[in-house]
Amino acid sequence: MQKAKKIWGIVSTVLVSIVVIAAVFLLGSRLMGYRVFNIVSGSMAPEYNIGDLIYVQEVDPATVKVNDVITFILNEDIVIATHRVVRIDAEKQHFYTKGDVNDTEDANPVHFNNLVGIPTFKIPKLGYVSDFVQNPPGMYITIAVVVILIIFAFAPDFVKKPAVPEPAEAGERVPTAEEQSAIDENARLKEELEKLKAQLAQEQEAE
């Protein structure tokens, strides 16, 4: 039983650690100035494949060059896209973009104001996890699993077994608190009496 509890403790701790690490990659990156997006189409394969998670860093539009891959707001519905810049019209502040596997440029240019940033790195296939944990019902399942894991991992540390007194030997009765106090007092008095006898004996020898 103890061995099973130990194994479960290790497993649950590992699972909780994995969840925490995933949360850092998915959410903690925002604290470092990155925005995270999931690739949902194959227009930029093989550089960015469906299910890849890309980390996008905000940049000044003036620093973007032809052949850079940019992430931008595609339309009024706030759809986000990631394509390669093929032309730039600095006067009109427009980027012209195209998916690597597409034969033609995107229908509409991207205004500088709609630039989100430039992808700096990716984690392959983590986008599937991101999509699952950020949308129902996966979000609710993930929260429930994390709570259960935390309970099973740490609850035993807060539950202490009551102290069990040492069993008395066969035929021996454990004294009550009052009886034990009387026994201790008798022992103390006996010790004082022995000291007094020894002192009287020393005084008699001295005479």
Side-chain angles (χ1 to χ4, degrees):
M1 187 66 177
Q2 287 296 116
K3 186 176 182 180
K5 287 182 178 180
K6 186 176 181 180
I7 293 174
W8 169 246
I10 294 173
V11 171
S12 59
T13 301
V14 170
L15 291 175
V16 170
S17 300
I18 291 173
V19 171
V20 171
I21 292 171
V24 169
F25 277 111
L26 295 174
L27 304 176
S29 55
R30 296 181 182 179
L31 301 176
M32 296 182 287
Y34 292 98
R35 297 184 63 182
V36 182
F37 298 97
N38 182 20
I39 299 296
V40 296
S41 78
S43 62
M44 286 299 294
E47 185 166 356
Y48 299 111
N49 298 300
I50 295 175
D52 289 351
L53 202 67
I54 61 173
Y55 291 77
V56 178
Q57 191 169 35
E58 184 179 350
V59 297
D60 184 343
T63 63
V64 176
K65 304 181 294 296
V66 172
N67 207 41
D68 284 345
V69 176
I70 62 172
T71 298
F72 54 91
I73 301 173
L74 182 63
N75 53 38
E76 294 179 354
D77 296 327
I78 318 299
V79 174
I80 303 297
T82 298
H83 280 172
R84 194 177 301 278
V85 175
V86 293
R87 290 187 293 125
I88 299 176
D89 188 333
E91 184 177 347
K92 294 182 178 180
Q93 295 189 329
H94 282 164
F95 297 115
Y96 293 86
T97 56
K98 185 177 81 72
D100 285 355
V101 301
N102 297 339
D103 295 328
T104 59
E105 293 182 5
D106 297 334
N108 299 313
V110 179
H111 194 276
F112 282 12
N113 292 336
N114 290 338
L115 176 68
V116 176
I118 291 180
T120 57
F121 65 97
K122 68 177 181 179
I123 300 180
K125 307 307 177 186
L126 190 60
Y128 290 118
V129 179
S130 172
D131 185 64
F132 179 78
V133 301
Q134 295 188 61
N135 298 286
M139 180 172 61
Y140 306 128
I141 294 173
T142 303
I143 293 173
V145 169
V146 170
V147 170
I148 291 171
L149 287 174
I150 291 174
I151 290 174
F152 277 96
F154 301 108
D157 295 335
F158 298 99
V159 178
K160 295 183 178 180
K161 294 182 179 180
V164 178
E166 291 288 335
E169 295 181 2
E172 179 183 350
R173 188 176 69 84
V174 178
T176 65
E178 293 180 357
E179 291 174 340
Q180 186 62 49
S181 178
I183 292 171
D184 293 341
E185 180 63 19
N186 289 336
R188 186 184 68 80
L189 292 174
K190 186 177 180 180
E191 184 179 353
E192 290 292 334
L193 183 59
E194 292 295 332
K195 289 181 179 179
L196 183 58
K197 287 181 179 180
Q199 184 177 357
L200 289 174
Q202 288 178 356
E203 290 177 355
Q204 290 176 355
E205 289 180 0
E207 293 177 358

